[in-house]
Amino acid sequence: MEDQDYSCLRLDNQLCFPLYACSKEIIKRYKPFLEELDLTYTQYITMMVLWEKKEMNVKELGEHLYLDSGTLTPLLKKLEQKGYITRSRMKTDERNVLIQITQAGEYLKEDAVRIPAAMSECVRLEPQEAKVLYILLHKILKQFKEEENQTNLTSSSD
């Protein structure tokens, strides 16, 4: 058998692993803060979008959060049961579901506003380091989104 270099298969040489591990660890550190609000991490990021946008359809929300409707639907049902959002069919297109934040959802923002500062204590990066990391991660996400859009264009023209 020919000598082949398998160093590309070393865990230490993978970009995906530290991203995965950091994501898992950061979400774990969110947990105690979010438990006080009775929210999961995905419910929290959903509420963050709705605090900013107030209303949007499920497809738009999924695009913001990089989540599919199969993941969003049960999450939105829970948020509706908690009284933080309402879901309704759009009158212009019954296939689209409109998500709107409620007054209770708006009030929740008052309790959540301290979480980002508390989390910055958990992830100790200098502001410039955090900015560089943010830019790089969003560059990767943008690339993936562009590839996905290109794939969708190609498959819809077939």
Side-chain angles (χ1 to χ4, degrees), residues 36-140:
E36 292 176 20
L37 303 180
D38 189 31
L39 291 176
T40 64
Y41 180 76
T42 48
Q43 289 171 349
Y44 172 66
I45 62 174
T46 299
M47 292 304 298
M48 290 178 84
V49 172
L50 292 170
W51 288 324
E52 181 182 349
K53 304 288 184 186
K54 308 304 179 207
E55 70 176 38
M56 61 191 348
N57 69 39
V58 173
K59 184 178 185 229
E60 294 169 323
L61 183 60
E63 288 171 359
H64 267 79
L65 298 173
Y66 293 86
L67 296 173
D68 61 38
S69 63
T71 303
L72 274 175
T73 299
L75 179 148
L76 293 170
K77 280 183 181 178
K78 291 261 194 212
L79 289 173
E80 188 173 40
Q81 289 168 354
K82 293 176 184 191
Y84 298 144
I85 65 162
T86 59
R87 296 179 302 148
S88 58
R89 297 264 171 210
M90 294 179 74
K91 290 173 182 35
T92 55
D93 184 350
E94 290 280 322
R95 296 171 297 177
N96 286 317
V97 175
L98 183 67
I99 309 302
Q100 295 177 296
I101 193 164
T102 64
Q103 195 63 47
E106 284 289 348
Y107 289 145
L108 184 65
K109 182 168 52 172
E110 296 303 316
D111 294 327
V113 74
R114 62 183 178 74
I115 295 174
M119 282 304 299
S120 71
E121 294 295 316
C122 296
V123 181
R124 291 181 220 103
L125 292 175
E126 295 298 321
Q128 190 58 32
E129 292 172 320
K131 185 176 182 177
V132 168
L133 181 58
Y134 179 88
I135 289 168
L136 291 172
L137 291 174
H138 277 278
K139 181 178 181 178
I140 294 169

Side-chain angles (χ1 to χ4, degrees), residues 6-18:
Y6 292 105
S7 64
C8 65
L9 297 177
R10 290 179 47 92
L11 192 58
D12 289 348
N13 292 336
Q14 305 304 308
L15 176 62
C16 60
F17 180 72

